[in-house]
């Protein structure tokens, strides 16, 4: 390993070096992939690997290993070390003070540890409930059976926000809609997620959604059984080209761009970012292959607008 | 005379082993052994534990490859890579330890490994028919559909013989076939063996019991330390002479017994009812009393409840009803440790299974029961100094042949393991000793030694229950002899006056004649 | 609670229970053969993953599901062969070699997935086939006779395995080798060959179990998509007392309870989802305590065989 | 003279213990082929592996940090194996131990350090013992196979942890902030194990683990209870005959096995994370089995074995970071290492047998 690079004011010819540690893989069609793709996009903008270097460690579901990786990247003089998983927070709060010259980032959370006197950590989070609310609206309007199924991984964090938003959106669009919610207790149990989807379909659901990398199992089932799917985090269309109706896609580029800019300017942390429809971090992407009636699309856009101008609270509904 | 056996297979006119050398790490198990057997002949093989008998015949069965030497069958050299080859050449073997699968039926055990008439699908009915035919031809009795675990030892052995006959064994090796049999079963076996010989089979018979060798064989070869001491016709040979050839020194075959000094009743069994493995009552109300200074022999055909009695006494098998009073204490439902603490010692029938831990050293095995007592420990911590001291002393005192006391006992011979167990049990100065088949499979020298020690213990006032299927042993040692049959005591007779005939009748279930 | 005891829910539970039991059945029946011959193969999960990946990849590239199945079986066979070499020939501690095999299978399937496919894609897997006549029976037809080929295969495997174990020469050898390999050896049975065969057969079936996920139940491959199903399959063998019918009972019980807990959640019954997810495991333990000492395990299970030892 | 035989015995044993480790390079060689196929220079890759594991202070301390729970779990596995039971439940026992340690120390945060810290670790061990005790008692009383029940107990512990960390035990700050991250509050400082070296995670648990290994050695080979556990493990029939209550000692070995895994969980929260988090175990329950085996199921052998195995894990992660090969490759190589090491045991065993028969 190289010795920690003495941090001079950023020199032009030196590449900016980013390292990211992720719990799942960069091909998970969800949480990790969304972030990695954004990094690559920024890399392109910055002029390729020679100008903007990316290192990553994927599949770090073991927190101590992730902590080691974070520490290691910092020691190797990476300019920005990103801990892309809420479970890494504690480790990060212990590592960051040891490397005051390095910028760190923690997702998804809004805590930059400034309260603990730490100034070199950014935090970022997606307001998943926003897209959840919109997708819930669309699903409720499209549903013929009047039953929706939500395949949750664990009832916490990003998944919880999304699920709560989805339920709220559906209920507001159609008060008599029935939304069944299940959790598998795991982010990675593809098979159990598939069974959950089966159960939802057997219980009458014709529109399904869910979060985490394990939903691919559910999409496979939905596709097989002719149900529709609403995705979140990353485009899941390849798994169900005629099944996925629409997806809330996370676009982290705005966050990454600003962190890079800020780090270059010597502000190594203390900022908390969110992805919202308003700042363009959240995008609603339709799948062309699945026709969505125009009136529903219009209603969706209206909902997005409402969320953006604050008249709709994605966790409860329109404000009076 | 035809060259076919009644089974329809070809005879082996002559089998010859020439210059067989087999080395194991550090041991020359067979040292240029020459050995032969002819059709219609029973050739006995004698020798102490570890003399190399099993090793020799295992090479004949393809289990080991000889380092040097050749094997000829009908004058042609044969090379056996595995039992498959030797079975194909007409060799069969009854192993020292039975090679049966307990959870399979007799038919399945026989059919195992044979091609089926129906291709890949078993045809057990056909196998059963042939088994029944063989049973008739060779005077064997066995239920083809019984599971092996349901069978007595004698029946299991018949299955072993059936297996060999079924495969057309023209030459049958029997490695200590009688070690586990009762006199009646031995008689039955001998009838079968003689019939086989008459019909043209060649037989190799290994035993530690000289009278058996004298009774059954035409020739006898004695091995010592892997070498042939001599081969001679059985006719004209005597026990004393053979024993001396084996051991290399004169051996006592009759014991001097001190006069009986019978004391208090130390072990009292009242109306004991115990369930056996097969779910039925193996003991149906057994009552016995053993006095201090007395050896009570328990004779019987194997499988009549001896094992269950021994296990119930040791606390290894629950008692359904009745009582066991040990040294005045009711231990009917007590754990083994309570009985041990009350002064009972037990020499188990299956020494490797119950009596010893084969991966433990000799020293560790010595403290199996008393490790939590002084001097071996201060209850919590083991005291290695005294463990070593006591072990060294016992090894010396009981003549256990072992390189060191740290040697794992799996490297000891059966006789020496038995001596180790004896040393452990007797050194505890037991009030009551249950000795179950104490010399089974043990050679003459070691048997003699064990018998002497049991008599010394009697002298010292121990109440001994000697459970044995070896009538000679029972008669030589016991003061009184109880005979067990189907879980009941048929009678108790005086050890000095009992005759083999009388005991034999009782063992067959015929009650003693009411004495005048 | 009452909402659970309606006809549609019960039918739904049975239907998904049957589907869910499929991968467990293949894997556990295969493992039954291995264990009956005395080999504990704890690496089933890793083999399933290799089967799932290979089956998916082949089916995807060739467009032929049956070739995919064949590929899965082949991958399983190779993994079984590796396990045989390690645990039969080299006499390695079986529990540990199983853990090694799991790591190997997990890693290799993920690596190959990354290198060859890159990302998750799905295919059209085996479709349900309604059995003529039987499939028309009201209710029953739907839940029992409207499944894909691999589901039928798994259930037909049970009586077949039972027959092979109990009525063929091979089955007899397997049982003997698992109980007393020395005895089998002295009768000329090739203990090593039998164990290789059963472990490889177990591997093939575990491979197919994996394919039943990637080609029939879920129709895609994702890394570690079995998430420990192989361990449950091994557990089911113990549960079933080393008998195919018992394994079937165990697999159905586990799957039904799993289906039930999902229904509990779907029906919004107020139990924390984490506790609901626990249910199948707790129930399996309870069922085990009730069935306790019923069956005796193969005497030679986990014990390597070497000639001349007794 | 006895000194000399003692010495040669030790030498022989050491050789036999090290023999299987020769298999590691063979496994790495195959891994090298794969690394090469992925377009990375294997020499450089392995260079970083060893450098990363043992080549500098930060790497080496990380290896030790990793070795600590491996050693503790491995000790539990060793005791269980010696008692003739197989404990695959380390994962669940560790989680439960960590949960209990967290709940206890937060609940009794007023206690002084000298009482709180030891008590926290003791509670961890006790609750691990309970988690191991359930399969133990089920085996002893009802003959339930422990491989099976420990696997089930792992799944239950995981869900229990999910439930507690999202509900009753969640850090109140997480609710306040609305982030809802599944983790507990911080342990009171008095319940933290001291850090041994600044800027590293090396903590007092490492020393504790080594002390435990020595204690387990003494326990197994010098005490009467240890003797019984070994007797029961080697031959339950003979042990029963000798008056040792076999089922009690089988249950006890699982209970003790659970206690050590539970302690590992306590040490992880108290030494590394200072709170209970999701994914705390990350497979230590299984890796601990491998470490125990590397150590030849001997408590003292487990010390170097876990350092080595821990180093391998740390170094392999480093190598992944340095070369950016997919992490799955690391899993493949680890799998191969385990397979090769267990396979090569046979040579050591044969050598030992040859030596023993020679007397
Ligand atoms: N598999 C083996 N490995 C190493 N040494 C062996 C092996 N089998 C036998 N031996 C050695 O060979 C010698 C002969 O043993 P063998 O079993 O032939 O004796 P035996 O005459 O059959 O004794 P017994 O009367 O006790 O049955 C013994 O000293 C033993 O140590
Ligand atoms: N695998 C082996 N390794 C080393 N020595 C062995 C082995 N197998 C047998 N022996 C040795 O061979 C000799 C005879 O073994 P055998 O199995 O014939 O037992 P035995 O002494 O006849 O006892 P028993 O007949 O009561 O079982 C013993 O000295 C034993 O130590
Ligand atoms: Mg012998
Ligand atoms: Mg013998």
């Amino acid at each position: 390993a190289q010795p920690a690079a003495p941090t001079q004011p950023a020199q032009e010819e030196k590449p900016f070096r980013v390292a990211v540690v992720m719990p799942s893989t960069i091909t998970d069609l969800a949480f990790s992939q969304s972030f990695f793709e954004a990094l690559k996009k920024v890399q392109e903008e910055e002029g390729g690997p020679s100008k903007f270097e990316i290192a990553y460690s994927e599949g770090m579901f073991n927190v101590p290993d992730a902590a080691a990786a974070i520490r290691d990247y910092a020691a190797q003089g990476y300019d920005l070390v990103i801990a892309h998983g809420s479970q890494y927070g504690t480790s990060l709060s212990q590592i960051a003070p040891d490397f005051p010259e390095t910028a760190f980032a923690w997702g998804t959370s809004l805590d930059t540890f400034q309260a603990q006197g730490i100034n070199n950590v950014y935090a970022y989070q997606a307001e998943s409930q926003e897209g959840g609310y919109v997708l819930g609206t669309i699903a409720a309007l499209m549903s013929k059976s009047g039953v929706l199924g939500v395949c949750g991984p664990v009832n916490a964090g990003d998944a919880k926000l999304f699920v709560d938003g989805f339920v709220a959106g559906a209920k507001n669009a159609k008060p008599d809609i029935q939304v069944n919610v299940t959790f598998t207790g795991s982010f990675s149990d593809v098979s159990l997620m598939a069974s959950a989807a089966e159960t939802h379909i057997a219980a009458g659901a014709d529109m399904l959604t869910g979060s985490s990398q394990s939903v691919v199992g559910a999409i496979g089932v939905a596709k097989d059984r002719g149900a529709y799917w609403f995705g979140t985090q990353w485009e899941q269309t390849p798994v169900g080209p005629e099944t996925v109706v629409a997806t809330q896609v996370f676009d982290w580029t705005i966050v990454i761009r600003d962190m890079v800019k800020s780090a270059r300017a010597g502000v190594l942390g203390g900022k908390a970012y969110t992805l919202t429809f308003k700042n363009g971090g959240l995008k609603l992407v339709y799948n062309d292959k699945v026709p969505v009636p125009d009136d529903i699309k219009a209603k969706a856009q209206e909902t997005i607008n409402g969320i953006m101008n604050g008249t709709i609270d994605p966790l409860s509904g329109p404000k009076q | 005379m035809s060259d076919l056996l009644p089974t329809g297979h070809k005879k082996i006119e002559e089998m010859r082993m020439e210059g067989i050398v087999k080395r194991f790490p550090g041991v020359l198990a067979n040292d240029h052994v020459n050995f032969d057997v002819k059709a219609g002949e029973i050739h006995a093989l004698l020798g102490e534990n570890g003399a190399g008998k099993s090793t020799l015949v295992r090479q004949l069965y393809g289990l080991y490859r000889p380092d040097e030497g050749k094997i000829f069958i009908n004058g042609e050299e044969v090379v056996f890579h595995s039992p498959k080859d030797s079975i194909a050449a007409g060799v069969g073997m009854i192993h020292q330890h039975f090679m049966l699968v307990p959870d399979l039926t007799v038919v399945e055990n026989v059919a195992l490994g044979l091609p089926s008439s129906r291709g890949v699908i078993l045809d057990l009915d056909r196998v059963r028919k042939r088994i029944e035919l063989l049973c008739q031809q060779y005077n064997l009795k066995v239920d083809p559909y019984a599971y092996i675990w349901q069978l007595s030892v004698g029946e299991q052995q018949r299955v072993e013989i059936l297996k060999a006959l079924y495969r057309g064994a023209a030459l049958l090796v029997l490695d200590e076939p009688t070690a586990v049999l009762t006199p009646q079963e031995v008689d039955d076996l001998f009838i079968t063996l003689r019939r086989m010989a008459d019909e043209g089979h060649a037989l190799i018979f290994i035993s530690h019991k000289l009278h058996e060798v004298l009774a059954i064989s035409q020739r006898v070869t004695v091995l010592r330390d892997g070498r042939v001491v001599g081969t001679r016709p059985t006719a004209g040979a005597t026990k004393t002479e053979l024993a001396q050839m084996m051991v290399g020194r004169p051996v006592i075959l009759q014991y001097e017994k001190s006069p009986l000094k019978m004391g208090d009743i130390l072990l009292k069994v009242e109306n004991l009812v115990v369930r056996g493995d097969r779910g039925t009552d193996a003991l149906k109300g057994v009552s016995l009393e053993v006095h201090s200074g007395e050896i009570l022999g328990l004779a019987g055909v194997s499988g009549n409840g001896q094992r269950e009695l021994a296990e119930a006494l040791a606390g290894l098998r629950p008692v359904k009803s009745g009582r066991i009073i040990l040294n005045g204490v009711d231990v009917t439902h007590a754990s083994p440790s309570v009985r041990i603490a009350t002064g009972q010692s037990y020499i188990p029938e299956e020494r490797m299974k119950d009596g010893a831990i084969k991966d433990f050293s000799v020293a560790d095995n010595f403290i199996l029961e008393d490790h939590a007592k002084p001097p071996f420990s201060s209850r919590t911590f083991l005291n290695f100094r005294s463990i070593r001291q006591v072990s060294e002393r016992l090894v010396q005192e009981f003549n256990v042949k072992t390189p060191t006391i740290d040697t794992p006992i799996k490297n000891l011979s059966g006789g020496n393991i038995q001596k180790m167990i004896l040393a452990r049990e007797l050194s505890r100065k037991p009030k009551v000793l249950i000795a179950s088949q104490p010399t089974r499979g043990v050679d003459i020298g070691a048997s003699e030694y064990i018998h002497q020690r049991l008599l010394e213990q009697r002298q010292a006032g121990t109440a001994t229950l000697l459970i044995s299927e070896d009538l000679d042993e029972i008669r030589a040692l016991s003061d009184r002899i109880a005979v067990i049959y189907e879980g009941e005591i048929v009678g108790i007779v005086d050890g000095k006056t009992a005759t083999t005939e009388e005991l034999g009748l009782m063992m067959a279930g015929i009650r003693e004649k009411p004495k005048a | 609670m009452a909402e659970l005891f309606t006809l549609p829910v019960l039918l739904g539970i049975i239907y998904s229970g049957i589907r869910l039991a499929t991968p467990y059945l293949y894997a556990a029946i295969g493992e039954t053969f291995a264990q009956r011959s005395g080999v504990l193969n704890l690496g089933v999960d890793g083999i399933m993953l290799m089967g799932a990946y290979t089956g998916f990849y082949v089916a995807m590239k060739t467009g032929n599901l049956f070739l995919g199945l064949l590929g899965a079986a082949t991958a399983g066979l190779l993994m079984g062969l590796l396990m045989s070499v390690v645990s039969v020939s080299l006499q390695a501690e079986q529990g540990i070699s199983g853990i090694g095999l799991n790591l190997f299978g997990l890693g290799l399937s993920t690596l190959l997935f990354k290198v060859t496919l890159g990302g998750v894609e799905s295919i059209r897997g085996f479709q349900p086939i309604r059995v003529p006549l039987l499939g028309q029976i009201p209710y029953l037809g739907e839940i029992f006779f409207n499944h894909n080929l691999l589901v039928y295969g798994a259930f037909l495997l049970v009586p077949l395995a039972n027959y092979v174990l109990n009525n063929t020469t091979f089955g007899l050898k397997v049982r003997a080798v698992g109980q007393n390999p020395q005895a089998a050896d002295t009768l000329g049975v090739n203990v090593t060959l039998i164990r290789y065969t059963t472990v490889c057969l177990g591997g093939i079936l575990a491979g197919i179990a994996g394919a039943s996920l990637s080609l029939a139940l879920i129709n895609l491959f994702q890394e570690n998509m079995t998430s420990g199903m192989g361990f449950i399959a091994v557990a089911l063998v113990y549960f079933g007392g080393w008998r195919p019918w018992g394994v079937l009972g165990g697999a159905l019980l586990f799957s039904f309870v799993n289906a039930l807990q999902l229904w509990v959640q779907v029906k919004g019954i107020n139990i924390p989802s984490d506790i609901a997810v626990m249910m199948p495991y707790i129930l399996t333990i309870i069922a085990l305590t009730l069935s306790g000492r019923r069956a005796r395990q193969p005497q030679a299970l986990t014990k390597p065989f070497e000639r001349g030892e007794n | 003279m006895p000194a000399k035989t003692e010495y040669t015995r030790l030498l022989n044993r050491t050789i036999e213990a090290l023999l299987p480790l020769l298999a590691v390079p063979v496994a790495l060689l195959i891994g090298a082929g794969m690394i090469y196929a992925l377009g990375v220079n294997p020499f450089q890759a392995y260079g970083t592996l060893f450098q990363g594991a043992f080549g500098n202070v930060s790497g080496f301390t990380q290896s030790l940090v990793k070795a600590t729970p491996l050693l503790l779990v491995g000790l539990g596995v060793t005791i269980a194996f010696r008692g003739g039971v197989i404990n695959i439940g380390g994962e669940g026992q560790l989680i439960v131990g960590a949960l209990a340690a967290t709940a206890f120390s937060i609940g009794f945060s007023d206690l002084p350090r000298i009482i709180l810290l030891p008590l926290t670790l003791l509670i961890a061990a006790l609750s691990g013992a309970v988690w191991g005790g359930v399969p133990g008692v089920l085996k002893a009383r009802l003959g339930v196979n422990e491989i099976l029940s420990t696997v089930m107990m792992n799944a239950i512990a995981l869900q229990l942890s999910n439930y507690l960390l999202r509900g009753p035990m969640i850090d109140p700050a997480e609710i306040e902030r609305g982030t809802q991250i599944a983790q507990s509050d911080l342990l009171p400082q008095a319940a933290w194990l001291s850090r041994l070296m600044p800027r590293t995670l090396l903590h007092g648990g490492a020393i504790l683990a080594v002390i435990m290994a020595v204690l387990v050695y003494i326990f197994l080979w010098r005490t009467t209870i240890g003797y019984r556990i070994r007797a029961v493990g080697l031959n339950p029939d003979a042990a029963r005959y000798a008056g040792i209550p076999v089922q009690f000692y089988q249950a006890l070995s699982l209970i003790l096995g659970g206690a050590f895994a539970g302690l590992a969980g306590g040490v992880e929260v108290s030494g590394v994370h200072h709170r209970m988090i999701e994914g705390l175990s990350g497979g230590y329950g299984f890796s601990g089995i491998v470490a125990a085996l590397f150590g030849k199921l001997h408590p003292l052998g487990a010390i170097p074995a876990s350092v080595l195995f821990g180093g391998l894990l740390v170094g392999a992660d480093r190598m992944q970071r340095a070369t950016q090969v997919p992490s799955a490759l690391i899993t493949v190589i680890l799998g191969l290492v385990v397979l090769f090491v267990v396979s090569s045991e046979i040579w050591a065993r044969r050598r030992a047998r040859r030596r023993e028969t020679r007397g």
Side-chain angles (χ1 to χ4, degrees), chain B residues 157-372:
Chain B
Q157 187 164 58
R158 277 175 236 153
V159 180
E160 286 282 22
I161 295 175
L162 277 172
K163 268 163 59 181
L165 288 176
Y166 199 101
R167 283 165 175 73
L171 164 59
L172 185 63
V173 183
L174 299 108
D175 193 351
E176 295 190 37
T178 57
V180 292
L181 299 188
T182 58
Q184 270 81 2
E185 285 173 327
V186 171
D187 289 347
D188 289 346
L189 174 70
F190 281 8
I191 292 172
T192 305
L193 295 187
R194 285 203 189 94
R195 184 178 290 194
M196 286 177 72
D198 289 347
E199 285 178 335
H201 291 270
L203 294 146
I204 300 172
F205 179 84
I206 301 177
S207 174
H208 289 297
K209 294 176 189 159
L210 298 176
H211 67 91
E212 291 176 358
V213 169
L214 292 174
I216 190 80
S217 67
Q218 280 83 54
R219 281 193 295 161
V220 52
T221 292
V222 178
L223 285 181
R224 189 160 77 224
D225 294 336
R227 261 184 303 245
V228 176
V229 183
T231 301
R232 60 191 56 192
T234 312
T238 65
K239 277 191 190 185
T240 330
E241 181 193 3
L242 290 177
Q244 181 147 4
M245 274 172 83
M246 276 168 68
V247 185
R249 63 171 167 84
V251 176
I252 311 167
L253 296 167
Q254 286 295 320
Y255 303 108
E256 286 296 315
K257 253 169 52 181
S258 57
L260 179 64
K261 287 185 295 184
M262 219 153 75
D264 300 339
I265 297 176
L266 291 183
L267 175 68
K268 187 169 175 167
V269 176
E270 288 173 10
N271 267 319
L272 202 64
V273 179
V274 167
R275 191 169 296 196
D277 286 339
R278 301 171 213 180
T280 54
D281 287 345
L283 296 183
K284 303 167 186 154
V286 165
S287 299
L288 286 174
E289 286 171 0
V290 192
H291 298 254
S292 161
E294 172 198 42
I295 295 181
L296 173 68
L298 184 71
V301 178
S302 102
N304 273 293
Q306 296 96 315
R307 190 160 61 85
E308 288 81 1
L309 175 63
E311 289 178 356
L313 290 175
L316 300 174
R317 188 178 280 273
V319 170
K320 217 166 121 182
S321 67
R323 291 210 303 164
I324 302 170
I325 314 285
L326 176 63
N327 197 18
V329 184
D330 185 338
V331 295
T332 314
H333 301 291
S335 68
S337 56
V338 170
R339 300 168 203 241
I340 291 167
T342 317
Q344 177 174 282
S345 275
Y346 173 41
I347 298 170
E349 175 176 343
E350 293 188 53
R351 55 177 166 262
M352 282 317 260
K353 179 170 163 281
D354 293 325
I357 294 178
K358 66 182 185 354
D359 291 296
F360 268 11
S361 67
V362 173
D364 278 347
N365 269 294
F366 271 136
I367 60 170
L368 199 56
E369 286 143 337
D370 290 334
H371 58 272

Side-chain angles (χ1 to χ4, degrees), chain C residues 145-160:
Chain C
F145 302 108
N146 187 23
H147 287 282
N148 65 60
L149 206 60
L150 290 184
V151 176
Y152 296 129
F155 282 83
L156 290 178
L157 192 59
V158 176
L160 182 67

Side-chain angles (χ1 to χ4, degrees), chain D residues 242-319:
Chain D
I244 301 173
V246 171
Q247 284 150 359
F248 172 81
Y249 283 95
Q250 283 178 340
L252 182 69
S253 3
L254 271 173
I255 290 171
L256 289 173
F260 277 96
L263 180 61
V267 165
E268 280 298 284
V269 285
S270 153
V272 180
H273 307 286
H274 300 159
R275 62 162 34 122
M276 177 62 188
I277 56 170
E278 230 179 345
L280 174 104
S281 168
Y284 286 140
F286 291 108
S287 317
I289 301 177
V290 179
L293 184 91
F294 274 22
K296 307 223 81 178
L297 297 173
H298 193 288
L300 300 182
I303 300 174
S306 39
V307 172
L308 202 83
F309 195 58
L312 202 59
L313 294 175
V314 168
D317 267 350
R318 270 275 169 118
M319 171 180 114

Side-chain angles (χ1 to χ4, degrees), chain A residues 129-138 141 165 168-170 172-173 277 284 286 295-314 317-318:
Chain A
Q129 68 277 21
E130 294 191 358
Y133 190 92
V134 178
L135 294 178
T137 307
I138 305 174
L141 295 176
N172 275 294
F277 279 121
L284 184 66
Y286 288 102
D295 56 328
I296 297 183
K297 274 192 176 169
K299 175 76 183 161
Q301 191 53 48
E302 191 184 306
T303 312
I304 293 177
N305 294 339
I307 292 172
M308 288 206 283
N309 62 30
T311 53
I312 294 177
D313 174 358

Side-chain angles (χ1 to χ4, degrees), chain B residues 498-510:
Chain B
T499 62
T500 310
E501 292 69 35
E502 187 186 353
L503 290 171
L505 281 176
M506 288 166 72
M507 285 161 70
I510 296 158

Side-chain angles (χ1 to χ4, degrees), chain D residues 21-34 46 312 332-341:
Chain D
L21 296 183
L22 288 181
V24 176
V26 184
L28 292 185
L29 204 67
I30 297 179
M34 294 187 181
Y46 285 139
L312 202 59
V332 175
I333 294 177
L334 284 179
L336 285 174
V337 167
V338 173
L339 284 174
F340 277 69
V341 170

